[in-house]
Amino acid sequence: MLKRISALVLAGLTAMAVAACGSSGSESGSDGGGSGGGDDSITMGFSQVGAESGWRTANTKSVQESAAKAGITLKFSDAQQKQENQIKAIRSFVQQRVDVIAFSPVVESGWDTVLKEAQNAKIPVILTDRAVDSKDTTLYKTFLGSDFIEEGKKAGQWLVEEYKDATGTVNIVELQGTTGSAPANDRKEGFAEVIGADPKFKVIASQTGDFTRAKGKEVMEAFLKSNPDIDVLYAHNDDMGLGAIEAIEGAGKVPGQDIKIITVDAVKDGMQALADGKINFIVECSPLLGPQLMDLAKKVVKGEQVPARVVTEETTFTQEQAEQVLSTRQY
């Protein structure tokens, strides 16, 4: 009987010890901000801007494929270019206790409240592709993406070189990205900074085309009606530029000749137009951020230090360069 009682006590103590280990593991997972119960699995909540362009579609594909390859469970949400949808998605991710949240902000402002909720839940946040303008940089761990101001500068530098011998006014129209978004703000700023040094460069019209081909065409049609003497179009992405090409051709003008065109992204359709001479210069903005994002996610979930800013490496393309690389473009 004594042996039986001792065995029962020992079994009880063992069960308590196992329960205590399990509880400790669960709390650790909670402190790390997620659903992990002590194993190495990671669940990421990812809120995408939408599917407004070929660039965005390629970006989504890169994130999804990279998550699968890295063994990370991805909870994906499409915001359809609406900030309120992204805020709802982030709050849903917090409620689901994901391990890490990543998102590409529709606009720069208005994120502090929801990011504070994620921080209070101890869920790390990674910004991808676009930044926020919050003064509290502790609300996110890192920002992975392009230097949009530098992209605008590259566009301006090509223009300055192209028209270095021109003596008259160079009339420029600008198709901006989504109003309030980081790439729209920064690409405009960088471009304006470079061309502003020479008074012959004059932006005679500037309006948002929402990064879409349809809107780019619509706005360019309006530009052409109100401004008959346009020398240059600067479009904040390829898709708006491609829409503008349709409008230019519809007006009986030759894109790339009658109106020089500069765009940003270097998606395959844009590169084809560049190779065909309809676009004159493209500044690359790579959407293939997935592998870097998954690497950063693993590190922040483990509590490792990561750089506050991770800039992607990108280049520019002329017509000749586009012809050389077009067949190997992944997006």
Side-chain angles (χ1 to χ4, degrees), residues 11-65:
L13 289 172
T14 301
M16 289 173 65
V18 170
C21 290
S23 174
S24 176
S26 177
E27 287 174 7
S28 176
S30 176
D31 287 345
S35 56
D39 58 22
D40 293 329
S41 63
I42 293 175
T43 298
M44 171 188 287
F46 183 81
S47 178
Q48 182 60 283
V49 171
E52 76 282 2
S53 63
W55 191 99
R56 190 62 57 189
T57 301
N59 179 241
T60 293
K61 183 179 179 182
S62 177
V63 170
Q64 292 174 331
E65 290 181 349

Side-chain angles (χ1 to χ4, degrees), residues 30-205:
S30 176
D31 287 345
S35 56
D39 58 22
D40 293 329
S41 63
I42 293 175
T43 298
M44 171 188 287
F46 183 81
S47 178
Q48 182 60 283
V49 171
E52 76 282 2
S53 63
W55 191 99
R56 190 62 57 189
T57 301
N59 179 241
T60 293
K61 183 179 179 182
S62 177
V63 170
Q64 292 174 331
E65 290 181 349
S66 297
K69 187 174 182 179
I72 292 176
T73 300
L74 189 70
K75 294 183 179 294
F76 182 89
S77 175
D78 182 341
Q80 298 178 328
Q81 293 184 277
K82 295 180 180 179
Q83 184 180 30
E84 59 267 31
N85 291 344
Q86 282 199 308
I87 291 173
K88 289 178 183 177
I90 293 169
R91 285 187 170 138
S92 175
F93 295 150
V94 171
Q95 292 172 354
Q96 294 176 64
R97 302 293 299 164
V98 300
D99 297 292
V100 59
I101 293 171
F103 77 112
S104 181
V106 174
V107 294
E108 286 189 293
S109 302
W111 300 103
D112 283 31
T113 300
V114 72
L115 291 183
K116 188 65 177 177
E117 292 170 17
Q119 186 180 65
N120 290 340
K122 298 182 179 179
I123 301 175
V125 173
I126 298 173
L127 304 179
T128 70
D129 173 44
R130 300 181 178 185
V132 299
D133 63 4
S134 174
K135 293 180 180 179
D136 185 357
T137 57
T138 69
L139 295 176
Y140 55 91
K141 295 295 184 182
T142 184
F143 165 39
L144 165 66
S146 304
D147 184 335
F148 299 132
I149 291 179
E150 183 61 26
E151 290 172 353
K153 287 181 178 179
K154 289 176 181 177
Q157 287 160 359
W158 179 87
L159 182 61
V160 168
E161 178 63 23
E162 181 72 9
Y163 284 87
K164 63 183 179 181
D165 297 326
T167 55
T169 300
V170 179
N171 291 326
I172 306 162
V173 294
E174 181 179 26
L175 282 170
Q176 299 179 41
T178 303
T179 302
S181 68
N185 293 342
D186 293 353
R187 287 171 185 165
K188 181 179 181 65
E189 178 184 336
F191 183 75
E193 180 182 329
V194 172
I195 68 169
D198 190 333
K200 73 183 175 190
F201 295 109
K202 184 178 180 182
V203 178
I204 58 175

Side-chain angles (χ1 to χ4, degrees), residues 215-236:
K215 190 70 173 179
K217 179 182 179 181
E218 177 187 324
V219 175
M220 190 65 197
E221 286 173 341
F223 283 167
L224 288 162
K225 289 177 181 177
S226 58
N227 303 281
D229 297 319
I230 297 172
D231 298 304
V232 177
L233 163 66
Y234 169 45
H236 288 190

